Amino acid sequence: MNIALLASYAAPYSGNFIPSVLLLNKKVKEKGGKIVFVFPDEAKAQEWTSLFKGEKVYYLSYAPYSFSTIKVLKKIFKYEQPDVIYSHFCGWDISSRIAAPFTRSVWHCRMNIRTDSISRKLKYLIKYRIIGACRTFSIGVSPAVGKKLIAVAGKKKACTICNGVDFSRLHIKESYPNEKKRVLILGWQPQVKGFDTACDAFERDTNGLLLRVSCQPATKAYISERFSENPQWLDTVEPTDNVASLYDNADIFLSASITEGFAIAVAEALYSGLPCVISDIEGTNWALEMRNVFVFKTGDAESLAAALKKCKETPMTKEAAEYNRKLLLEKYSLDSWTEKVMNVLGV
């Protein structure tokens, strides 16, 4: 089977996504198939592209809905003759559908679908019921996303495959101290990741905790605008692909996001042995079956402060951490993800 894998992914780090598609490529080859990859031009500058040495990779300008993009994709598909076109991150899914209207397509939706207004709902209905009506199947990365996909695409046109996590790049904590001090939160966009709510909560009551944020440029800008000087309860660290080092130097992981497709960082933190405080959004509700997970009302600083206090006072045991790891490996490993995706692709 020939697969064209399109991913509008040009992040500086390989994260979990690149290991997942590399494993998929390996498994497809073992079955006698092949994958050709399409990435944005911006990806050329990233070190992870060296992992695709020896593979067939195309790079093209990221202009998702332009005529020029459709024209280039049509040429690629004509030359490669894929049996299925598999797109990630929604960037090129519609363009590839137009470029190859008779080729089976799989759209992997990795972000949350918002259908909270008539215009948004109409947009998705047009995309999935009209443009994607023929020979198109969709995958949601969490139960919440999958449920919404089924609502807009139809029961037979969508399913849920939770994101795979590369647990091999993480460390397992050997001890679980009773006293917790360091709270880790990932920055990126401060309002989306809930860093603003976290700051509100710590200004209200630090509970003797230190908030450590992995800073992207937008986070640094937010901090400089909000504070004349860094508060004593706030610590900043540079973003890194060595995520194990972030979890190794934390006692609690905080996911305060207002929206998520599937919160991979929560899975990573739980596997590492950290208790987690999470907002009550759909993209993290899969974690409620884990132990030492504490929920607060999204955007509510008082609720967050209370959840942090409860987390701090609740012991994290080796038994609880091992219970979480067992569930995570069963449900969210790269091997599990790959097997499920191959079933959808028909490999």
Side-chain angles (χ1 to χ4, degrees):
M1 169 176 277
N2 291 342
I3 300 168
L5 191 154
L6 284 61
S8 50
Y9 184 85
Y13 305 126
S14 59
N16 280 275
F17 176 67
I18 296 304
S20 69
V21 297
L22 287 171
L23 181 60
L24 177 65
N25 185 46
K26 177 185 175 183
K27 297 293 186 181
V28 168
K29 283 183 176 179
E30 290 173 356
K31 294 278 189 176
K34 78 168 186 176
I35 299 180
V36 296
F37 298 90
V38 180
F39 292 116
D41 278 333
E42 293 80 1
K44 290 180 182 177
Q46 311 306 341
E47 291 184 5
W48 54 260
T49 56
S50 63
L51 300 172
F52 291 86
K53 186 177 181 181
E55 306 297 336
K56 190 69 172 288
V57 181
Y58 292 91
Y59 297 97
L60 65 149
S61 258
Y62 186 65
Y65 307 111
S66 71
F67 177 75
S68 61
T69 295
I70 294 170
K71 188 176 179 180
V72 172
L73 288 175
K74 188 175 287 190
K75 287 183 178 178
I76 293 172
F77 299 150
K78 184 178 180 180
Y79 181 77
E80 297 294 345
Q81 293 292 304
D83 299 296
V84 59
I85 299 168
Y86 179 33
S87 64
H88 286 261
F89 298 102
C90 303
W92 286 318
D93 45 12
I94 291 177
S95 297
S96 62
R97 176 76 284 173
I98 296 170
F102 303 110
T103 305
R104 190 163 68 89
S105 291
V106 174
W107 293 347
H108 205 130
C109 183
R110 308 185 77 90
M111 304 296 290
N112 192 18
I113 292 179
R114 297 181 62 187
T115 55
D116 52 353
S117 69
I118 294 175
S119 60
R120 286 195 178 107
K121 192 169 185 178
L122 181 61
K123 180 183 77 172
Y124 284 114
L125 285 171
I126 291 171
K127 175 176 178 178
Y128 290 98
R129 295 288 178 123
I130 298 176
I131 299 173
C134 180
R135 298 180 63 77
T136 302
F137 190 84
S138 298
I139 298 172
V141 295
S142 69
V145 176
K147 182 179 178 180
K148 290 180 181 179
L149 276 177
I150 289 170
V152 295
K155 290 183 179 179
K156 296 182 179 180
K157 301 279 286 180
C159 74
T160 298
I161 299 178
C162 290
N163 272 342
V165 183
D166 184 8
F167 294 118
S168 68
R169 64 183 190 147
L170 302 173
H171 302 151
I172 297 174
K173 285 188 176 293
E174 296 181 357
S175 61
Y176 303 91
N178 290 328
E179 187 177 10
K180 306 183 187 77
K181 291 184 178 181
R182 304 162 298 176
V183 179
L184 173 65
I185 185 172
L186 303 184
W188 190 54
Q189 295 293 335
Q191 288 79 12
V192 175
K193 289 297 185 182
F195 177 62
D196 54 345
T197 303
C199 289
D200 293 341
F202 272 75
E203 281 189 322
R204 184 184 300 266
D205 184 1
T206 64
N207 286 308
L209 296 169
L210 171 72
L211 181 63
R212 175 168 289 160
V213 57
S214 174
C215 279
Q216 300 286 349
T219 319
K220 292 179 180 179
Y222 178 85
I223 291 171
S224 63
E225 289 172 10
R226 176 161 178 163
F227 305 108
S228 57
E229 60 181 30
N230 272 19
Q232 290 186 342
W233 48 260
L234 181 63
D235 183 29
T236 60
V237 294
E238 292 298 315
T240 175
D241 195 31
N242 180 15
V243 292
S245 66
L246 295 177
Y247 303 123
D248 288 346
N249 291 288
D251 303 307
I252 297 170
F253 182 75
L254 170 59
S255 175
S257 301
I258 61 172
T259 182
E260 291 276 1
F262 178 90
I264 284 181
V266 173
E268 292 177 333
L270 287 167
Y271 183 87
S272 300
L274 293 179
C276 289
V277 175
I278 62 174
S279 51
D280 60 350
I281 58 173
E282 293 176 322
T284 57
N285 59 11
W286 56 267
L288 297 179
E289 66 176 326
M290 304 292 171
R291 295 180 181 173
N292 288 73
V293 172
F294 304 85
V295 185
F296 73 95
K297 186 176 179 181
T298 305
D300 188 321
E302 186 175 349
S303 177
L304 171 54
L308 285 168
K309 184 174 185 294
K310 187 175 181 180
C311 179
K312 181 186 176 185
E313 294 173 350
T314 304
M316 182 68 181
T317 65
K318 183 177 180 181
E319 290 73 23
E322 289 178 348
Y323 175 87
N324 290 343
R325 276 192 290 275
K326 181 180 178 182
L327 274 181
L328 290 164
L329 287 169
E330 286 175 357
K331 296 188 174 185
Y332 310 116
S333 69
L334 290 187
D335 284 325
S336 174
W337 179 89
T338 303
E339 182 180 337
K340 293 170 185 175
V341 168
M342 289 176 69
N343 286 336
V344 171
L345 296 176
V347 180

